[in-house]
Each structure stands twice: as C-alpha cells, then as structure tokens.
Amino acid sequence: MSTFETLKGDCTKLLTSVKSDIETLKSKTTDPEKQAKSVLNAKTNIPEAERCIRQLETELNGLPGPEKQSGGAKITAFKKQLDNYKKLFKKQEDIYNRTVLQTTLYGKSNTASNNQKEGNQYNRAAGHLTGASSGSRNAVEVSNDVLIALEGQTGHIERIGASRKDLDTDMGRANSKIS
C-alpha cells in the first residue's frame, strides 16, 4: 500500500471520528462526561485531519497522472468535508459551552429566564467562553502553520549549508591554483 493510500485511510478515520464526536454533541441524551470527551477528541482530531490533508497534498505530487487526478479529487472532497465538520463542531461546541456554563451558574433545575440579572451575566460569560474557544482554535491553526513553515525553512537551511561547503571546497582549490 502506498503512502498516499495510507494517509487517505488515516484521513477517512479522522473525519469519521470528528463526525461521531459532532453527533455525540448533538445528542441531548448523552451524558455530560461523554460530551466533554467528544469536545476534546474533536479539538485534537480536526487539526490532525488538516495536517493529514496537507501531507496528502505533498504525496499527490509523486503519483502518476490518472492517480494524481483521482487523488486530487479525493483531497478536495476531504477539504470540503472537514470545512463542513469544523462549522458544525464550532456550533455544537458553543452550545455545549453554554450548557456547561448554565449548569455551573444555575444548576440543572434553574434557567437564565428566572432572573434577568443572572441571565445577563450568563450571556456575557457565555460570550467570553465562546471567544476564548475561538481564540484557542485559531492559536492551534497558527501553530500548525508555523510548524510547517519551520520544517520547510530547516530543509532550505540544510541545502544552503551543503552548497556553502561545496563553495568553500571550490574556493580552496581556486586559491591553491592561484598561489
């Protein structure tokens, strides 16, 4: 099995896991502990799926023509699916965060509508929590992009070092001939 096929299988598993986590969050009957685990799993698997797709794009260049075309179509489908899941997860995560906050502030039997002042506090706190969640997702995306850029720059620096050694050797030869 080629590296591309292995990565394609990994991507499929990650996307299936993210979908399952979203479905768990959508379910109102799921216990809170299982929902918390689903949030953590999705937060881990979404960046992993993004990284897997980037690796697939890299591997695609080494495939022959017909495989390259079908592989490109599969990568496009993975990207669309992941974008859809990211939107769905954000929505479900926001609902989950609000529910957790509501339960923490008011307990299971009370709601924010019982007291206007508490309701306003709840809404402000939920907005802050949603903003913090979005910020952490953005930080993960930026760190992944930085990691990829650094890996590329490391390879470039290694090639420059090898070229410099060759240049130093050539300069040494030229100087010995001049002397």
Side-chain angles (χ1 to χ4, degrees):
M1 184 181 289
S2 71
T3 304
F4 186 84
E5 290 298 320
T6 302
L7 287 169
K8 196 165 78 170
D10 291 345
C11 237
T12 300
K13 288 177 187 175
L14 287 166
L15 291 172
T16 301
S17 178
V18 170
K19 180 182 178 185
S20 173
D21 291 329
I22 292 169
E23 292 301 322
T24 298
L25 288 171
K26 281 183 178 180
S27 171
K28 302 297 180 197
T29 59
T30 305
D31 69 279
E33 192 173 303
K34 189 171 183 180
Q35 286 189 326
K37 186 176 180 182
S38 291
V39 168
L40 292 175
N41 285 343
K43 281 185 174 185
T44 301
N45 288 335
I46 288 173
E48 279 295 313
E50 289 172 332
R51 189 176 58 75
C52 190
I53 289 171
R54 284 191 299 269
Q55 288 176 331
L56 277 170
E57 290 173 326
T58 302
E59 289 295 322
L60 183 66
N61 294 327
L63 295 178
E67 290 179 36
K68 194 174 206 175
Q69 187 175 6
S70 67
K74 189 63 177 176
I75 290 171
T76 301
F78 280 151
K79 284 181 176 180
K80 285 181 183 177
Q81 192 176 16
L82 181 59
D83 285 344
N84 184 40
Y85 288 166
K86 285 166 58 175
K87 290 174 190 171
L88 290 172
F89 174 68
K90 182 183 178 346
K91 179 181 176 184
Q92 291 305 314
E93 182 187 27
D94 290 347
I95 292 169
Y96 168 78
N97 287 336
R98 288 175 191 263
T99 302
V100 168
L101 185 61
Q102 180 181 352
T103 302
T104 301
L105 291 175
Y106 308 112
K108 290 185 179 184
S109 62
N110 294 326
T111 63
S113 62
N114 292 342
N115 184 320
Q116 184 64 36
K117 183 178 178 183
E118 289 177 352
N120 290 337
Q121 289 173 339
Y122 160 75
N123 287 332
R124 280 193 305 275
H128 291 302
L129 186 58
T130 300
S133 175
S134 177
S136 68
R137 278 193 298 275
N138 290 342
V140 168
E141 290 174 13
V142 168
S143 66
N144 284 337
D145 291 344
V146 168
L147 178 62
I148 290 169
L150 287 174
E151 288 172 351
Q153 290 175 357
T154 300
H156 183 69
I157 289 170
E158 288 171 351
R159 288 188 297 278
I160 289 172
S163 296
R164 184 167 184 259
K165 287 179 184 175
D166 293 342
L167 185 59
D168 287 345
T169 302
D170 291 344
M171 290 297 291
R173 287 184 194 146
N175 284 337
S176 66
K177 289 182 179 180
I178 291 174
S179 302

